[in-house]
């Protein structure tokens, strides 16, 4: 469904304003923190979407855009709490494990 995918992309875009804006500024060392937050948010949502699509292909035997949309949302939710403090590797692991939100495991 195009409207669902468009809504997911708009939510993902606005998520950057939410998590990066929570630093309340960009002066001093906060620029580095904002960059880390943006990269971690992107990595987590992307890895979670890819993992959810692969798991959906395995279980449901079909590709479905709703799996990718749900994976993106699960990745965004899974990374929000610690996105400024974790490393890039940990971020990918957290995004990889976020597909469990979609399949209720």
């Amino acid at each position: 469904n195009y409207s669902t995918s468009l809504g997911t992309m708009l939510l993902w875009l606005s998520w950057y304003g939410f998590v990066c804006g929570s630093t309340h500024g960009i002066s001093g060392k906060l620029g580095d923190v904002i960059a880390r937050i943006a990269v971690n948010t992107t990595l987590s949502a992307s890895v979670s979407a890819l993992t959810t699509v692969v798991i959906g292909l395995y279980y449901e035997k079909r590709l479905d855009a709703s799996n990718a949309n749900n994976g993106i949302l699960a990745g965004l939710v899974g990374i929000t709490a610690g996105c400024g403090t974790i490393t890039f590797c940990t971020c990918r692991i957290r995004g990889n494990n976020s597909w469990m939100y979609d399949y209720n495991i």
Side-chain angles (χ1 to χ4, degrees):
N1 190 347
Y2 294 115
S3 60
T4 305
S5 296
L6 179 63
T8 302
M9 293 301 128
L10 288 173
L11 185 63
W12 190 356
L13 181 64
S14 64
W15 211 273
Y16 292 113
F18 169 64
V19 293
C20 294
S22 66
T23 59
H24 300 296
I26 196 166
S27 62
K29 295 277 186 183
L30 290 178
D32 296 337
V33 174
I34 290 173
R36 176 184 297 263
I37 290 170
V39 169
N40 283 346
T41 301
T42 304
L43 281 174
S44 178
S46 302
V47 169
S48 181
L50 182 63
T51 305
T52 306
V53 166
V54 170
I55 296 295
L57 184 62
Y58 177 76
Y59 282 125
E60 300 169 9
K61 306 292 189 250
R62 64 185 172 94
L63 289 173
D64 193 4
S66 66
N67 286 339
N69 293 334
N70 289 337
I72 289 169
L73 295 177
L76 291 173
V77 169
I79 198 62
T80 298
C83 61
T85 58
I86 63 174
T87 64
F88 300 132
C89 184
T90 308
C91 171
R92 290 192 305 257
I93 292 169
R94 190 176 284 189
N96 195 24
N97 292 335
S98 294
W99 67 271
M100 294 179 202
Y101 294 136
D102 186 32
Y103 282 94
N104 297 323
I105 292 178

